[in-house]
Amino acid sequence: MPAPFDLESFLPYRLNRAAELISLSFAREYKQRYQITRPEWRTLAALGSVGRMTATQVGVHSNMHKTKVSRAVHALEQRRWLKRAEDDADRRIEHLELSVLGQKAYREIAALARAYQESLEQTLGQGAIGRIEAGLADVEQALLAGARKGH
Amino acid sequence: MPAPFDLESFLPYRLNRAAELISLSFAREYKQRYQITRPEWRTLAALGSVGRMTATQVGVHSNMHKTKVSRAVHALEQRRWLKRAEDDADRRIEHLELSVLGQKAYREIAALARAYQESLEQTLGQGAIGRIEAGLADVEQALLAGARKGH
DNA sequence: AATCGACGGTTACAATTGCAACCAATTCGA
DNA sequence: TCGAATTGGTTGCAATTGTAACCGTCGATT
């Protein structure tokens, strides 16, 4: 007799459900106000938070497919929130950077994000979010380590 | 001077990244072998784990959009993994149930899922996954409670 | 019992997405 | 040093997805 399978305690299922819920919940805060999509916000956030990066690095950082990143970058460029700069040594590479306008937008949406998370932390209690994130870090590390070995 | 915003500790971003990573990682286990999509697996899992449910209930349980559920149900029905049964009292409602074939498929994929999670728990240490899930449950509860009040 | 709003579920259509193929540039290896 | 394999990034196309509109049914109000 096999061990029972409880979907409610299956991590991929649980993570998906929670991620979808919280993402949509927060997206409501900026979708209307800034006319920006989810991939665009993630790209903006990555560049604003980390600083100058290439498209590939943005993709790794936020775990987005490279075509998704490519399109988000294009959209942000149209909006003049982002500038591309070529690399001196390798002409395939494009360094991405937020424009002054982009930085302004980033700061504003980041303020929304901060407020959102602060409010959540209020109701969850101090440190609760940090503990989840520590757990997630371990999970990601385990998965990425496993992937390299071809599991 | 505003508090700094660190994307790495922003919960929606972190949850999305982790969820995407683990979902794709596990999807590799069944996509090939069973020719089944992510929404189909989630629906199968919900019905297999919880038992007879309506489409709406499946959607709530797995936090999937109702059209996604509708299409997944249709696909599973084509495959003869699922049966519909009308409700005696309310003719709008359809009760969904796995067929014998569907139950068999569910048991097989559930076994994969169990193995997957066990292996993960091995590397993370006993109880690590449970702690994350407890945290997620709190988050979900907070968000759903907030949504009802119109936040 | 007729009307209106809500509900469960499906579908048409448009937008978003991922895969695969591609281009240009670079690195590797014989 | 030349060709093959690899890399950063884009694009065409097909598949997936969400929005909105819809159908049939139900419940409440009158």
Side-chain angles (χ1 to χ4, degrees):
Chain A
M1 152 180 164
F5 174 66
D6 178 19
L7 187 57
E8 274 301 310
S9 57
F10 184 50
L11 191 58
Y13 192 79
R14 291 298 304 280
L15 274 178
N16 258 293
R17 197 173 67 186
E20 192 64 14
L21 189 65
I22 197 170
S23 285
L24 287 180
S25 159
F26 178 61
R28 276 194 288 276
E29 307 263 323
Y30 60 76
K31 272 248 167 76
Q32 300 282 15
R33 259 178 276 201
Y34 294 91
Q35 300 280 76
I36 194 182
T37 69
R38 215 117 68 84
E40 280 161 38
W41 152 242
R42 290 214 224 160
T43 301
L44 180 73
L47 288 173
S49 170
V50 177
R52 164 183 270 235
M53 277 197 292
T54 69
T56 300
Q57 289 171 326
V58 170
V60 170
H61 191 279
S62 56
N63 200 41
M64 286 197 292
H65 195 274
K66 65 177 181 170
T67 62
K68 222 180 202 171
V69 176
S70 173
R71 282 153 182 155
V73 166
H74 183 73
L76 292 176
E77 194 183 19
Q78 292 290 326
R79 213 180 276 248
R80 313 214 179 282
W81 283 6
L82 170 155
K83 286 174 308 192
R84 306 183 194 233
E86 52 188 20
D87 186 88
D88 295 332
D90 188 338
R91 284 195 291 166
R92 290 171 304 184
I93 293 175
E94 290 181 336
H95 298 282
L96 305 173
E97 217 168 0
L98 296 186
S99 67
V100 175
L101 212 60
Q103 286 173 33
K104 183 168 175 295
Y106 167 70
R107 279 196 304 274
E108 289 181 24
I109 307 185
L112 289 182
R114 222 160 23 232
Y116 181 89
Q117 180 141 329
E118 239 160 56
S119 154
L120 188 58
E121 184 130 46
Q122 280 293 318
T123 68
L124 290 181
Q126 176 82 27
I129 291 177
R131 282 192 294 276
I132 295 173
E133 290 180 345
L136 294 182
D138 294 343
V139 169
E140 290 184 333
Q141 200 198 340
L143 291 178
L144 292 174
R148 271 199 302 282
K149 294 183 186 166
H151 286 265
Chain B
M1 153 180 165
F5 175 65
D6 178 19
L7 187 57
E8 274 302 310
S9 57
F10 185 48
L11 191 59
Y13 191 79
R14 291 296 307 279
L15 274 178
N16 258 292
R17 196 173 67 187
E20 193 63 17
L21 189 65
I22 198 170
S23 285
L24 287 180
S25 160
F26 177 61
R28 276 194 288 275
E29 306 263 324
Y30 61 77
K31 272 249 166 74
Q32 300 282 16
R33 258 178 275 200
Y34 293 91
Q35 300 281 75
I36 195 182
T37 68
R38 215 118 69 83
E40 280 160 39
W41 152 241
R42 291 213 223 159
T43 302
L44 180 72
L47 289 173
S49 170
V50 177
R52 165 183 268 234
M53 275 196 294
T54 70
T56 300
Q57 290 172 325
V58 171
V60 170
H61 191 279
S62 56
N63 199 41
M64 285 197 293
H65 195 273
K66 65 178 182 170
T67 63
K68 222 178 200 172
V69 176
S70 174
R71 283 154 182 154
V73 166
H74 182 74
L76 291 176
E77 194 183 20
Q78 292 291 325
R79 214 180 277 249
R80 311 213 181 283
W81 282 8
L82 170 154
K83 287 174 308 192
R84 307 184 193 230
E86 53 189 20
D87 186 89
D88 296 331
D90 188 339
R91 283 196 291 167
R92 289 171 303 183
I93 294 175
E94 290 182 336
H95 297 282
L96 306 173
E97 218 167 358
L98 295 186
S99 67
V100 176
L101 212 58
Q103 287 173 32
K104 182 168 176 295
Y106 167 70
R107 279 196 304 272
E108 290 180 24
I109 307 184
L112 290 182
R114 223 162 20 233
Y116 181 89
Q117 180 141 328
E118 240 160 55
S119 154
L120 188 58
E121 183 130 46
Q122 281 292 319
T123 68
L124 290 182
Q126 175 81 27
I129 292 177
R131 282 191 294 277
I132 295 173
E133 290 178 346
L136 294 182
D138 294 342
V139 170
E140 290 184 332
Q141 199 198 340
L143 290 178
L144 292 173
R148 271 198 301 282
K149 293 182 188 169
H151 287 265

